[in-house]
Amino acid sequence: MCHHCVIDSVKQSMLSRRSFFTGVAAAAAAGAVVSTVSSPVLAQSATKAEDLTHDLVENFPTYFGSQQFFIDKLNDFAKDGFNISQWRIVEHTGTHIDAPLHFTADGKGVGELPVEDLVAPLSVIDIRAKADSDPDAQLTPDDIKAWTDKNGPLPEGGVVALLSGWGAHVATDKFRNVGSDGKTQHYPGFHVEAAQQLLETTTKAIAVDTLSLDFGASPDFIVHKTWLPAGRYGIEGVANLDRLPAKGATIVVGAPKISKGSGGPARIIALV
């Protein structure tokens, strides 16, 4: 390729990268988004992306406490000229999805979630103040009201995320925060009344920065049992919610397309 052609090619590539977010917003405005989506896919024009996903490592903390992710080396570059590993993983490990099938006999699996439900306006409800003083704090209808009083109505077809600050503890024992009885965990989650209130809206999913949609000391998974059988989905172990505004971001959920999976690790991104 000639020197002049190389320069032109590089210029075109740079222009293409700069126009990425603008192009996405323009495509949405032009109707390139699937017509069945009843609400805008992008909450607003985006200028940057934030990663809401924790690194998945073999010792990532789990709800039951045992290891749920294993990496076995099959081929090594030094020996074979390429690297391949085999993964063994429990569906609900790391930053991951809870599909309706997780708590139903025949609900939608993670691979069946409609693609239009995986891109949505994101509302972040901050309960860090009460979580700092009470690890068993729950997001309640009062917290939703405080958010809407300040920010206006929850967006149609959105995702509502609980920001407790628990993501900062992911590399320590406090992420599971097992009590003196040696089994009860203590970290924030949604209150069932908040879940019931959100079921009366078009909210597609709820998300937490902890190990469970329910608060850690829940004896009955009542939020799971209320939310998932209604055909909605959840996201657990979300990272970096503190980098986002309370409203205006768009969440992009990279849910694995696994048939009949009750959940699965996901790459979660926010466009801001």
Side-chain angles (χ1 to χ4, degrees):
M1 183 180 290
C2 67
H3 180 70
H4 177 72
C5 294
V6 170
I7 294 175
D8 284 346
S9 177
V10 171
K11 286 181 177 179
Q12 290 301 317
S13 176
M14 292 176 64
L15 288 171
S16 177
R17 289 172 63 85
R18 290 173 183 171
S19 63
F20 170 74
F21 292 111
T22 303
V24 171
V33 179
V34 178
S35 61
T36 57
V37 181
S38 59
S39 56
V41 170
L42 292 185
Q44 60 183 14
S45 297
T47 58
K48 65 177 180 176
E50 290 286 359
D51 193 351
L52 305 186
T53 316
H54 287 294
D55 287 344
L56 184 54
V57 293
E58 289 182 285
N59 63 347
F60 195 94
T62 66
Y63 183 84
F64 294 106
S66 57
Q67 183 176 344
Q68 294 184 176
F69 180 43
F70 305 83
I71 303 176
D72 300 314
K73 192 80 168 182
L74 299 182
N75 297 94
D76 183 76
F77 184 83
K79 177 183 177 182
D80 305 308
F82 57 90
N83 290 306
I84 292 181
S85 294
Q86 175 178 272
W87 301 346
R88 292 176 291 133
I89 188 166
V90 176
E91 293 170 316
H92 300 270
T93 306
T95 302
H96 69 274
I97 305 297
D98 278 6
L101 184 61
H102 187 30
F103 270 76
T104 60
D106 57 0
K108 288 180 180 177
V110 66
E112 299 172 288
L113 294 174
V115 68
E116 58 266 26
D117 287 355
L118 303 178
V119 182
L122 178 63
S123 302
V124 179
I125 300 181
D126 189 345
I127 67 163
R128 284 178 292 182
K130 64 180 182 179
D132 283 344
S133 59
D134 179 12
D136 294 324
Q138 298 178 70
L139 189 158
T140 67
D142 286 343
D143 295 310
I144 296 175
K145 184 178 186 303
W147 190 96
T148 56
D149 285 347
K150 183 177 181 179
N151 300 287
L154 292 170
E156 292 293 315
V159 172
V160 175
L162 176 160
L163 168 57
S164 70
W166 227 250
H169 307 309
V170 71
T172 72
D173 289 341
K174 189 172 180 179
F175 197 65
R176 294 187 73 241
N177 203 27
V178 177
S180 58
D181 63 359
K183 59 181 181 180
T184 304
Q185 299 170 63
H186 297 277
Y187 46 74
F190 276 83
H191 193 285
V192 65
E193 291 179 359
Q196 290 168 335
Q197 179 176 334
L198 292 174
L199 284 178
E200 297 176 0
T201 72
T202 59
T203 298
K204 297 173 179 178
I206 55 177
V208 294
D209 55 1
T210 64
L211 277 170
S212 177
L213 303 179
D214 288 272
F215 76 116
S218 171
D220 53 11
F221 296 112
I222 188 59
V223 173
H224 282 80
K225 293 176 180 178
T226 299
W227 186 258
L228 299 178
R232 319 290 177 99
Y233 71 95
I235 315 171
E236 294 174 333
V238 179
N240 301 323
L241 287 172
D242 57 327
R243 298 181 183 178
L244 304 179
K247 68 173 185 177
T250 298
I251 191 169
V252 181
V253 182
K257 199 169 184 181
I258 300 173
S259 178
K260 300 303 179 184
S262 71
R267 189 69 180 266
I268 313 295
I269 299 168
L271 304 179
V272 186

